[in-house]
Amino acid sequence: MNLNSPIAGVAEPMQPFVVNISDKFSRFNQHWSPKIVGEVNDCAVKLVKLKGEFVWHSHEREDEMFLVIKGSLRMLLRDRELVVNEGEFVIIPRGVEHCPVADEEVHVMLFEPAGTLNTGSVTNERTVSEPERI
Ligand code: NI
Protein backbone atom coordinates (compact mmCIF):
# COMPACT_ATOMS: atom_id res chain seq x y z
CA MET A 1 0.00 0.00 0.00
CA ASN A 2 1.22 3.45 -0.82
CA LEU A 3 1.03 5.50 2.37
CA ASN A 4 1.46 8.62 0.30
CA SER A 5 -1.53 7.87 -1.86
CA PRO A 6 -3.76 10.89 -2.15
CA ILE A 7 -7.29 11.16 -0.88
CA ALA A 8 -9.60 9.89 -3.58
CA GLY A 9 -10.23 12.56 -6.16
CA VAL A 10 -7.25 14.69 -5.16
CA ALA A 11 -4.51 14.80 -7.75
CA GLU A 12 -1.25 13.25 -6.66
CA PRO A 13 1.54 15.79 -6.39
CA MET A 14 3.96 15.78 -9.30
CA GLN A 15 7.25 14.05 -8.69
CA PRO A 16 10.42 15.88 -9.70
CA PHE A 17 11.96 14.57 -12.90
CA VAL A 18 14.87 15.45 -15.11
CA VAL A 19 14.25 16.29 -18.76
CA ASN A 20 17.03 16.06 -21.31
CA ILE A 21 16.24 18.70 -23.89
CA SER A 22 18.24 17.29 -26.78
CA ASP A 23 16.74 13.84 -26.18
CA LYS A 24 13.26 15.35 -26.39
CA PHE A 25 14.14 17.18 -29.60
CA SER A 26 15.39 13.91 -31.11
CA ARG A 27 11.89 12.42 -30.79
CA PHE A 28 10.21 14.51 -33.47
CA ASN A 29 11.01 16.17 -36.76
CA GLN A 30 7.93 18.18 -37.69
CA HIS A 31 8.28 21.91 -37.89
CA TRP A 32 5.88 24.34 -36.21
CA SER A 33 4.32 21.58 -34.11
CA PRO A 34 4.88 22.27 -30.39
CA LYS A 35 5.27 19.34 -28.00
CA ILE A 36 4.54 19.61 -24.30
CA VAL A 37 7.40 18.50 -22.05
CA GLY A 38 6.34 19.91 -18.70
CA GLU A 39 4.31 22.40 -16.74
CA VAL A 40 5.28 25.19 -14.37
CA ASN A 41 2.40 26.66 -12.43
CA ASP A 42 -0.08 27.70 -15.09
CA CYS A 43 2.44 27.54 -17.92
CA ALA A 44 3.24 24.72 -20.28
CA VAL A 45 6.83 24.12 -21.28
CA LYS A 46 6.87 23.22 -24.96
CA LEU A 47 9.54 22.35 -27.48
CA VAL A 48 9.20 23.26 -31.11
CA LYS A 49 11.35 23.06 -34.23
CA LEU A 50 10.98 25.99 -36.58
CA LYS A 51 11.97 26.32 -40.20
CA GLY A 52 10.83 28.92 -42.66
CA GLU A 53 8.34 31.70 -42.00
CA PHE A 54 5.30 31.29 -39.76
CA VAL A 55 2.15 33.41 -39.87
CA TRP A 56 1.51 36.84 -38.42
CA HIS A 57 -0.58 36.51 -35.30
CA SER A 58 -1.05 37.76 -31.75
CA HIS A 59 -2.40 36.27 -28.55
CA GLU A 60 -5.21 38.15 -26.90
CA ARG A 61 -4.56 36.97 -23.35
CA GLU A 62 -1.20 35.22 -23.23
CA ASP A 63 2.40 36.35 -23.07
CA GLU A 64 4.78 33.96 -24.83
CA MET A 65 8.41 33.29 -24.02
CA PHE A 66 10.72 31.90 -26.70
CA LEU A 67 14.04 30.51 -25.44
CA VAL A 68 16.33 29.60 -28.32
CA ILE A 69 18.10 26.30 -27.67
CA LYS A 70 19.70 25.95 -31.11
CA GLY A 71 20.03 28.25 -34.08
CA SER A 72 19.00 31.83 -34.56
CA LEU A 73 15.39 33.03 -34.59
CA ARG A 74 14.20 36.18 -36.32
CA MET A 75 11.13 37.54 -34.61
CA LEU A 76 9.35 39.99 -36.88
CA LEU A 77 7.33 42.69 -35.18
CA ARG A 78 5.28 45.27 -37.05
CA ASP A 79 7.85 48.01 -36.45
CA ARG A 80 11.11 46.05 -36.25
CA GLU A 81 12.83 42.72 -36.18
CA LEU A 82 14.46 41.03 -33.19
CA VAL A 83 17.19 38.45 -33.63
CA VAL A 84 17.19 35.87 -30.84
CA ASN A 85 20.33 33.77 -30.77
CA GLU A 86 21.12 30.50 -29.05
CA GLY A 87 21.02 30.99 -25.29
CA GLU A 88 18.78 34.04 -25.56
CA PHE A 89 15.07 34.48 -25.09
CA VAL A 90 12.39 36.95 -25.99
CA ILE A 91 9.02 37.53 -24.37
CA ILE A 92 6.22 38.60 -26.66
CA PRO A 93 3.59 40.34 -24.55
CA ARG A 94 -0.07 39.63 -25.15
CA GLY A 95 -1.58 41.61 -27.98
CA VAL A 96 1.70 42.19 -29.82
CA GLU A 97 1.67 40.96 -33.41
CA HIS A 98 4.60 38.75 -34.26
CA CYS A 99 5.84 36.42 -36.95
CA PRO A 100 8.68 34.01 -36.19
CA VAL A 101 11.09 33.29 -39.02
CA ALA A 102 13.76 30.59 -39.06
CA ASP A 103 16.09 30.87 -42.04
CA GLU A 104 17.75 27.66 -40.87
CA GLU A 105 16.18 25.19 -38.46
CA VAL A 106 15.79 26.62 -34.97
CA HIS A 107 15.00 24.73 -31.77
CA VAL A 108 12.94 26.68 -29.29
CA MET A 109 11.58 26.14 -25.80
CA LEU A 110 8.28 27.93 -25.24
CA PHE A 111 6.75 29.00 -21.94
CA GLU A 112 3.09 29.86 -22.27
CA PRO A 113 -0.27 28.86 -20.80
CA ALA A 114 -1.15 25.32 -21.84
CA GLY A 115 -4.10 26.40 -23.93
CA THR A 116 -2.17 28.94 -25.97
CA LEU A 117 -2.67 28.30 -29.67
CA ASN A 118 0.51 28.50 -31.71
CA THR A 119 -1.25 30.65 -34.28
CA GLY A 120 -2.98 32.87 -31.70
CA SER A 121 -6.07 34.56 -33.08
CA VAL A 122 -5.46 33.10 -36.53
CA THR A 123 -6.70 29.61 -37.38
CA ASN A 124 -5.18 27.90 -40.39
CA GLU A 125 -3.47 24.68 -41.44
CA ARG A 126 -0.63 25.45 -39.05
CA THR A 127 -2.84 25.64 -35.98
CA VAL A 128 -2.10 22.85 -33.49
CA SER A 129 -4.99 22.83 -31.05
CA GLU A 130 -3.87 19.92 -28.88
CA PRO A 131 -0.10 19.62 -28.75
CA GLU A 132 1.24 16.13 -28.14
CA ARG A 133 3.02 15.40 -24.88
CA ILE A 134 6.39 13.74 -25.29
NI1 NI B 1 2.71 33.50 -30.95
Side-chain angles (χ1 to χ4, degrees), residues 57 59 64 66 98 118:
H57 67 279
H59 306 269
E64 280 192 301
F66 296 73
H98 55 287
N118 60 333

Side-chain angles (χ1 to χ4, degrees), residues 17-131:
F17 60 96
V18 173
V19 174
N20 184 291
I21 296 169
S22 58
D23 170 63
K24 293 291 191 189
F25 272 116
S26 74
R27 297 187 193 195
F28 65 98
N29 288 310
Q30 311 103 294
H31 295 120
W32 309 107
S33 181
K35 310 295 182 193
I36 296 174
V37 293
E39 274 105 14
V40 182
N41 301 309
D42 295 328
C43 269
V45 180
K46 302 176 185 175
L47 299 181
V48 63
K49 292 182 177 181
L50 312 181
K51 192 170 184 189
E53 180 167 334
F54 201 48
V55 288
W56 280 99
H57 67 279
S58 61
H59 306 269
E60 195 182 338
R61 285 181 295 272
E62 303 101 345
D63 307 324
E64 280 192 301
M65 175 171 159
F66 296 73
L67 168 62
V68 175
I69 303 295
K70 184 178 143 193
S72 182
L73 173 67
R74 289 198 290 131
M75 185 63 78
L76 308 187
L77 306 175
R78 285 304 186 188
D79 60 345
R80 63 203 163 108
E81 171 183 323
L82 300 173
V83 176
V84 192
N85 291 310
E86 208 166 290
E88 298 180 332
F89 67 82
V90 63
I91 296 171
I92 305 296
R94 63 198 69 183
V96 174
E97 285 190 287
H98 55 287
C99 179
V101 178
D103 297 315
E104 306 289 336
E105 186 175 82
V106 181
H107 294 184
V108 172
M109 181 179 280
L110 297 167
F111 299 86
E112 59 190 19
T116 301
L117 283 181
N118 60 333
T119 52
S121 51
V122 175
T123 303
N124 65 13
E125 71 284 352
R126 287 178 139 172
T127 302
V128 178
S129 51
E130 289 193 25

